[in-house]
Amino acid sequence: MTNLPVPSYMEFFNDDYLGAYRETISPENAVVESAFVHRVLQLPRDAEVLDLCCGHGRHAVILALTGLRVTGLDLSDAYLERAAAIAAEAGVNLPLVRSDMREIPFEGRFDAVINIFTSFGYLNSDSEDMKVLHQVARALKPGGQFLIDLINREWVVSNYVRDERKVVPNGTVYQERREIDLLHSRINNSFWVTTPDGTTHHTDGLTIRLYSLTELVRMLNAAGLAYRTVYGGYELEPYDIESRRMIVVADKAR
C-alpha cells in the first residue's frame, strides 16, 4: 500500500480513459503487444515478471496464460478490481499490488519489469521519474530486463494535431485538445466528453513528459540500467524519427 498522495493525473484513469482510447487499448492490440514482450525478452516459462502500471490487466493476464509468473502493480483500485475479475475469468493466478510506481515493494525479485503504453512521464518532474527507474532497478534480479514503451517524442512533434474528435459506438463524443510545451518537452491533453443524453463534462486529462531517446538512456544508466536496444513498434520495427513508439530495453548489471 503506497504512502504517497494520489497524483492528480489519476483522476483521468477511469471510464473516460477507457472510452477515449478504446481502439488503442483493444484486446487485439494487447495480444500483439504481449507477443512483442515474449519475442524481445525471451523469458523462460516460469520467469517472474512485474507489469508496472498494469491497469486492468490487459497484458498481465495474457502473459500469465503463457506460463509466466506475473505480478501486476497499479495505483487505481478500480483497475485492479477489473484485473482481478479478468484474471479469475481466465483462470490464471495474478497477484495484484496497489502502489505508486515510486514505491515498488519488492527487491531483487523479478526477471523482468515491463511498462507498456506510455505509463511513464506523468509525474511532476524528471527527478520524480528518476525515482521510478531506481525502484525498477531495485525490484529486478541481477541481469534482469526492463522494457519501457513510450510514445516517440519526435513523432508527436512532427505529427502534432491540436484538436481531435472521436465518436464511439455507444454515441459518446470525445473532443480532445493537445497543447505541446516545447520548452519543457511536455504535452498537455484535455477532453470534453458528451454522453448520448447530451450531458457534457470536462477533464484535464494528462500531462506527459516527452523524453527523447538520449534523455531516457541517460536516466536509465543513472539508475543502474544499461541500455540494450530500442524498437519503433511492436513488430520489431527499427526506431527512427517517424516511429510512433519508442520501446527501450535495458538490463540490470549481474
Side-chain angles (χ1 to χ4, degrees):
M1 186 84 158
T2 181
N3 294 318
L4 293 171
V6 176
S8 59
Y9 67 78
M10 287 299 297
E11 295 177 7
F12 178 65
F13 287 100
N14 52 34
D15 289 340
D16 285 345
Y17 171 80
L18 297 177
Y21 293 105
R22 63 183 302 275
E23 293 182 359
T24 308
I25 61 173
S26 68
E28 295 79 13
N29 284 348
V31 170
V32 172
E33 293 152 10
S34 299
F36 171 84
V37 171
H38 268 292
R39 292 170 70 186
V40 169
L41 299 186
Q42 295 288 303
L43 295 167
R45 181 176 174 82
D46 62 347
E48 290 214 55
V49 178
L50 176 65
D51 187 351
L52 183 61
C53 304
C54 66
H56 56 284
R58 65 192 187 100
H59 303 107
V61 170
I62 294 171
L63 293 171
L65 283 167
T66 68
L68 296 174
R69 291 185 289 166
V70 184
T71 297
L73 184 150
D74 204 277
L75 191 52
S76 168
D77 283 321
Y79 282 3
L80 290 173
E81 288 175 7
R82 291 189 188 214
I86 293 169
E89 184 178 350
V92 297
N93 178 41
L94 180 63
L96 296 167
V97 177
R98 182 183 181 273
S99 186
D100 188 289
M101 64 197 305
R102 291 166 289 182
E103 289 188 350
I104 300 175
F106 301 100
E107 184 172 358
R109 166 78 175 271
F110 296 101
D111 298 289
V113 175
I114 61 173
N115 181 245
I116 299 180
F117 191 57
T118 316
S119 299
F120 180 82
Y122 299 144
L123 301 172
N124 291 330
S125 66
D126 294 4
S127 61
E128 291 299 300
D129 287 338
M130 271 302 307
K131 291 179 182 178
V132 177
L133 298 181
H134 280 294
Q135 287 287 292
V136 168
R138 178 176 175 271
L140 284 168
K141 296 176 182 176
Q145 304 176 78
F146 179 43
L147 186 153
I148 181 168
D149 165 30
L150 302 176
I151 191 77
N152 180 15
R153 180 191 184 279
E154 322 311 327
W155 183 90
V156 171
V157 172
S158 61
N159 291 272
Y160 174 60
V161 175
R162 185 182 184 192
D163 295 295
E164 184 176 0
R165 183 176 184 270
K166 302 175 185 176
V167 183
V168 301
N170 71 0
T172 300
V173 178
Y174 296 89
Q175 184 71 41
E176 180 176 4
R177 170 156 293 182
R178 307 178 184 94
E179 300 284 352
I180 295 183
D181 177 354
L182 293 174
L183 177 61
H184 301 99
S185 195
R186 302 186 79 93
I187 186 165
N188 308 305
N189 295 33
S190 57
F191 289 83
W192 286 261
V193 182
T194 304
T195 57
D197 65 4
T199 303
T200 297
H201 67 271
H202 174 261
T203 176
D204 286 337
L206 305 171
T207 297
I208 304 171
R209 172 66 158 92
L210 299 171
Y211 285 105
S212 69
L213 180 59
T214 301
E215 290 173 318
L216 183 61
V217 169
R218 185 182 300 123
M219 292 171 71
L220 289 167
N221 289 338
L225 298 164
Y227 167 78
R228 188 204 307 169
T229 191
V230 61
Y231 298 94
Y234 304 116
E235 299 295 337
L236 306 184
E237 298 98 320
Y239 172 80
D240 57 34
I241 61 172
E242 297 181 356
S243 305
R244 187 161 185 160
R245 309 304 303 173
M246 182 178 76
I247 311 171
V248 173
V249 182
D251 302 296
K252 180 178 177 178
R254 293 184 180 277

